[in-house]
Amino acid sequence: MTPTIRFKLSLMMFLEFFIWGAWFVTLGTYLQSNLHTTGIQVGVAVLTQSIGAIVAPFIIGLIADRFFSAQKILGVLHLAGALLLWQAAGAADFGAFYPYILIYMILYMPTLALVNSISFRQLQNPEKEFASIRVLGTLGWIIAGLTIGWLHWENKDASGLTTLGLTFKMAAGAAALLGVFSFFLPSTPPIKKEGPTTVGDLLGLDAIRLLKNRSYLVFFLASVAICVPLSFYYGFTNPFLNEVGMKAAAGVQSLGQVSEVLFMLLIPVFFARLGVKKMLAIGMFAWVVRYAFFAYGNGDSNYWMLIAGIVLHGICYDFFFVTGQIYTDNLAGEQSKSAAQGFITLATYGVGMLIGSLLSGQIVDAHQISATLHDWRTIWLIPAAIAAGVLAVFLLLFKDRNAAALTAEEITYAETTARLEV
């Protein structure tokens, strides 16, 4: 790989996740403060991610994999997305805002697979080269959060409004830049495949056979269930932190991505020492601890609990989701590895997050004390209890004796190809 190609791929990854991090982290705060939405409406907005994740396989399978070069599709999707984000920034109410963000996420979620596809087609040794390129995506998410904090866009004026509408314009500008830049990326034409593409191919349904393994079935169901408390974090952490008085909350939240990178690098070491079951269990237990910290943390004497809850993101995500992707990769046959990863992603970020987004909004609304205050202790204890229940069932039923031992190379490969949830 030449230095020029490395630079192009790295910039592509940086912009891809800068765009997402520029508006998604503070979405709940913007909706509640500026558009005066309910918690349910915030949840509905967050679940556009799930709808996009469900639709994405069809776009990639029917278009990118069959007819057009990946970099051209990436450019078109981001240019269209830039227009939608700009329009969303000017929406006067939730009714006008929601269609823009729904269509945007349907277009954006497929680009996550496209940037990976473009990268892997250019790499001679993905196991060694991909991580150093993909980490620029996490850096982009971090820079977006720090920028929002530095510019004080979360601060409210006398009328209770923020300037977070500017986050959508910032994201729109970055999307337009990536859209144009995409046409200068290395050519990535579709790989010709014989025969028609079936619905099963698009959804990875041939991977369903993995569910015949009882332990994998337990893991699969636990993955869907753990995404319910995960949706609380994505939808309501930023509104919570701002409500309890944290300064530059979006910037502070970027510590979660810093933690994610650190633990990502340490996964091979922990995996060799702990194995599948302990890694997955630690990941789920971290969810319980994180929400307990949020429940009892505050902006004064227990401020450290808020920071600790954010930093735990690395363990929460890496130990469960990345380990799960490694576990799935190890059990799937050579012909169905990609299908298996697509199947677990569809179930978690699609079905699991969708359920969680709807549930979390109702719970937040049910524990609203006044127009600007919530009973956050009770709110956070609910996802903590859900995570604890999932952990208990998992420990009781999961057995990893059927999982073949992983070599260091397999761990590194699966780890570096896993998408970071920033």
Side-chain angles (χ1 to χ4, degrees):
M1 180 173 56
T2 66
T4 299
I5 292 179
R6 175 178 289 277
F7 171 78
K8 288 183 177 181
L9 296 180
S10 298
L11 180 58
M12 174 190 70
M13 283 293 184
F14 180 90
L15 291 173
E16 174 75 14
F17 288 91
F18 178 91
I19 293 166
W20 196 3
W23 66 272
F24 192 72
V25 173
T26 55
L27 175 63
T29 299
Y30 170 76
L31 291 177
Q32 292 186 321
S33 299
N34 291 52
L35 301 188
H36 309 292
T37 61
T38 64
I40 292 177
Q41 288 173 317
V42 173
V44 168
V46 172
L47 71 79
T48 57
Q49 172 186 249
S50 301
I51 296 174
I54 292 172
V55 174
F58 291 94
I59 295 179
I60 299 301
L62 284 175
I63 301 176
D65 285 349
R66 306 285 293 186
F67 302 112
F68 302 103
S69 295
Q71 82 280 2
K72 294 180 180 179
I73 300 176
L74 183 69
V76 171
L77 292 178
H78 275 301
L79 288 174
L83 294 175
L84 291 166
L85 286 171
W86 192 270
Q87 291 297 317
D93 54 43
F94 185 75
F97 173 85
Y98 182 74
Y100 290 124
I101 216 65
L102 172 62
I103 298 173
Y104 174 76
M105 288 306 281
I106 290 175
L107 297 181
Y108 176 81
M109 293 305 287
T111 67
L112 295 173
L114 287 172
V115 295
N116 284 345
S117 177
I118 293 169
S119 296
F120 282 119
R121 292 279 293 278
Q122 306 303 320
L123 303 181
Q124 296 178 341
N125 193 339
E127 295 90 336
K128 295 181 178 180
E129 296 175 312
F130 182 69
S132 62
I133 291 173
R134 177 55 185 83
V135 75
L136 266 294
T138 303
L139 180 61
W141 186 287
I142 292 171
I143 295 299
L146 292 176
T147 301
I148 294 170
W150 177 58
L151 295 174
H152 306 293
W153 286 348
E154 295 165 280
N155 293 355
K156 296 180 180 180
D157 59 22
S159 61
L161 299 178
T162 70
T163 52
L164 286 174
L166 294 173
T167 62
F168 296 96
K169 293 184 176 181
M170 179 173 69
L177 177 59
L178 180 53
V180 173
F181 180 68
S182 295
F183 291 96
F184 298 91
L185 290 170
S187 178
T188 312
I191 298 176
K192 299 299 182 180
K193 300 178 181 179
E194 297 182 0
T197 299
T198 66
V199 174
D201 294 331
L202 298 177
L203 298 180
L205 296 184
D206 57 336
I208 287 181
R209 64 178 181 76
L210 290 176
L211 300 182
K212 295 179 180 179
N213 181 318
R214 179 181 173 183
S215 289
Y216 189 82
L217 175 61
V218 172
F219 158 74
F220 178 85
L221 295 176
S223 297
V224 174
I226 206 68
C227 281
V228 174
L230 173 63
S231 64
F232 281 78
Y233 181 79
Y234 283 158
F236 295 100
T237 298
N238 190 258
F240 159 67
L241 295 177
N242 278 288
E243 190 172 309
V244 299
M246 177 176 284
K247 302 298 183 182
V252 177
Q253 280 183 261
S254 66
L255 291 174
Q257 277 63 53
V258 175
S259 167
E260 184 180 324
V261 172
L262 174 62
F263 282 102
M264 178 69 69
L265 297 175
L266 293 175
I267 276 186
V269 177
F270 284 114
F271 210 117
R273 294 176 178 270
L274 300 176
V276 174
K277 184 172 184 176
K278 290 181 180 178
M279 288 283 287
L280 294 172
I282 291 172
M284 285 186 281
F285 181 69
W287 286 103
V288 180
V289 176
R290 155 185 270 180
Y291 289 131
F293 278 154
F294 280 177
Y296 292 97
N298 54 53
D300 298 316
S301 59
N302 288 336
Y303 185 81
W304 68 271
M305 288 187 174
L306 303 182
I307 300 299
I310 293 171
V311 172
L312 277 172
H313 179 72
I315 299 178
C316 291
Y317 180 75
D318 291 343
F319 274 51
F320 188 85
F321 288 100
V322 176
T323 298
Q325 289 164 340
I326 295 172
Y327 177 51
T328 298
D329 184 81
N330 188 53
L331 291 182
E334 288 298 326
Q335 298 301 315
S336 60
K337 287 183 181 292
S338 296
Q341 296 293 343
F343 183 57
I344 192 69
T345 299
L346 175 66
T348 52
Y349 292 106
V351 178
M353 284 289 289
L354 189 149
I355 296 172
S357 297
L358 293 174
L359 179 63
S360 62
Q362 296 183 49
I363 290 173
V364 169
D365 278 349
H367 294 87
Q368 184 170 353
I369 300 174
S370 67
T372 58
L373 296 176
H374 297 79
D375 179 8
W376 287 109
R377 176 167 297 180
T378 301
I379 291 171
W380 290 123
L381 287 177
I382 291 173
I386 295 173
V390 176
L391 173 60
V393 174
F394 175 82
L395 290 174
L396 182 63
L397 299 179
F398 183 85
K399 308 292 183 184
D400 61 354
R401 61 175 178 267
N402 292 326
L406 298 179
T407 66
E409 290 77 12
E410 287 173 319
I411 294 172
T412 302
Y413 174 76
E415 167 231 315
T416 55
T417 58
R419 182 180 69 83
L420 291 175
E421 178 51 37
V422 294

